[in-house]
Amino acid sequence: MSIKLPSNWNDVSLSQLDSLLSLPHSEIEITNFINRLAVLTGKNRDEIKKIELQDSYKMIEKLIFLDKLPSEEKVNWLSFKNRVFKLKKVEALNNADFIDLNAIVEGNDPEGTKVAKMMFILFDKVFGRDVSDWSFFMEMPVGKCYGTIVFFCNIVKNYYLRHLESYLEMFQTAPMEKIQEMEKKTKVDIQLQIQKMRTLLRSERSGDGMIF
């Protein structure tokens, strides 16, 4: 049987990552190998079971990278499916973006799905056809995404929290007429965003909030 194995995280999509993480763990290493190989190659498990034991162990050695984290190198530009994307600058992200990102991280979606949703917010398409929703990123390689998400988690969060209290104070002291005028102009429910910011700050102070 001819099987093409992934050689690193750039050969594994976010969709496949979700499938890998959902696999049950077995004390029998060959069983884990069969399940992983089925996800990574699309081959039927019955076909994989026919692989000779010696060849199986060679393949297991080639898949050892799955037990290690991808590179944490931040990527500012991405090329994928005839499109080019650019990472937004921290200053270009607004309160609603950060609140949505926090909701994604705290949500119950699988890790690959979380990353795809975050990528949809953090990157602008600068060339190629428009991307309608986050599901487009589910086929993006894990290796292309991981470093950027780590960057956001470790740096952008700190940048945001430093300014969140001042933003909240500004909104809380603004006249209601001014807020309503801003809501009409921006079509954003600012009062709802204020409530979310309060919740986010409380959870961060208690240590039960953002898990970046």
Side-chain angles (χ1 to χ4, degrees):
M1 182 193 308
S2 176
I3 295 181
K4 183 179 179 180
L5 295 176
S7 57
N8 54 55
W9 281 110
N10 286 325
D11 297 328
V12 181
S13 70
L14 292 174
S15 176
Q16 289 175 318
L17 174 63
D18 280 351
S19 297
L20 288 171
L21 293 175
S22 68
L23 291 173
H25 179 74
S26 172
E27 296 298 325
I28 304 174
E29 187 59 34
I30 288 297
T31 299
N32 292 325
F33 163 73
I34 291 172
N35 291 335
R36 283 180 167 187
L37 204 58
V39 168
L40 294 170
T41 65
K43 297 288 186 180
N44 185 284
R45 284 177 172 78
D46 289 334
E47 292 183 85
I48 297 172
K49 288 178 181 178
K50 296 177 182 177
I51 298 176
E52 293 185 3
L53 190 60
Q54 184 176 358
D55 291 334
S56 296
Y57 279 115
K58 290 179 181 178
M59 291 182 181
I60 290 174
E61 290 180 5
K62 292 183 178 180
L63 295 178
I64 194 68
F65 73 89
L66 293 173
D67 297 320
K68 301 176 182 178
L69 291 175
S71 168
E72 293 189 7
E73 181 181 359
K74 178 173 72 74
V75 176
N76 292 313
W77 293 84
L78 286 173
S79 177
F80 183 62
K81 289 190 175 182
N82 298 318
R83 295 168 175 84
V84 178
F85 300 89
K86 182 180 180 181
L87 179 66
K88 293 178 181 177
K89 293 184 178 180
V90 175
E91 296 82 359
L93 298 172
N94 57 38
N95 288 330
D97 290 331
F98 279 97
I99 290 170
D100 289 343
L101 288 163
N102 184 66
I104 291 169
V105 174
E106 290 189 334
N108 297 320
D109 288 323
E111 294 306 310
T113 300
K114 287 182 178 181
V115 172
K117 289 183 175 181
M118 294 174 75
M119 296 290 289
F120 184 63
I121 295 174
L122 292 171
F123 279 83
D124 282 328
K125 188 271 300 176
V126 295
F127 177 80
R129 295 173 57 187
D130 288 339
V131 175
S132 59
D133 60 50
W134 58 267
S135 61
F136 170 86
F137 289 97
M138 287 300 291
E139 299 311 311
M140 183 169 279
V142 175
K144 284 190 174 185
C145 308
Y146 182 78
T148 302
I149 298 304
V150 170
F151 164 79
F152 173 82
C153 296
N154 293 337
I155 299 178
V156 180
K157 172 209 168 185
N158 294 329
Y159 174 94
Y160 174 60
L161 290 177
R162 284 200 304 269
H163 297 279
L164 183 58
E165 286 186 331
S166 60
Y167 292 151
L168 183 57
E169 182 179 355
M170 178 184 69
F171 285 126
Q172 287 176 325
T173 57
M176 182 58 66
E177 296 78 9
K178 181 67 174 178
I179 291 179
Q180 291 174 343
E181 180 183 339
M182 292 172 63
E183 287 180 329
K184 186 176 181 180
K185 184 177 180 180
T186 62
K187 297 182 180 180
V188 173
D189 189 338
I190 294 176
Q191 296 182 68
L192 176 61
Q193 297 303 321
I194 290 173
Q195 294 176 9
K196 288 184 177 180
M197 281 190 281
R198 287 173 180 160
T199 301
L200 181 54
L201 279 172
R202 282 198 301 269
S203 62
E204 177 64 18
R205 288 167 180 155
S206 67
D208 298 326
M210 300 172 77
I211 58 174
F212 297 125

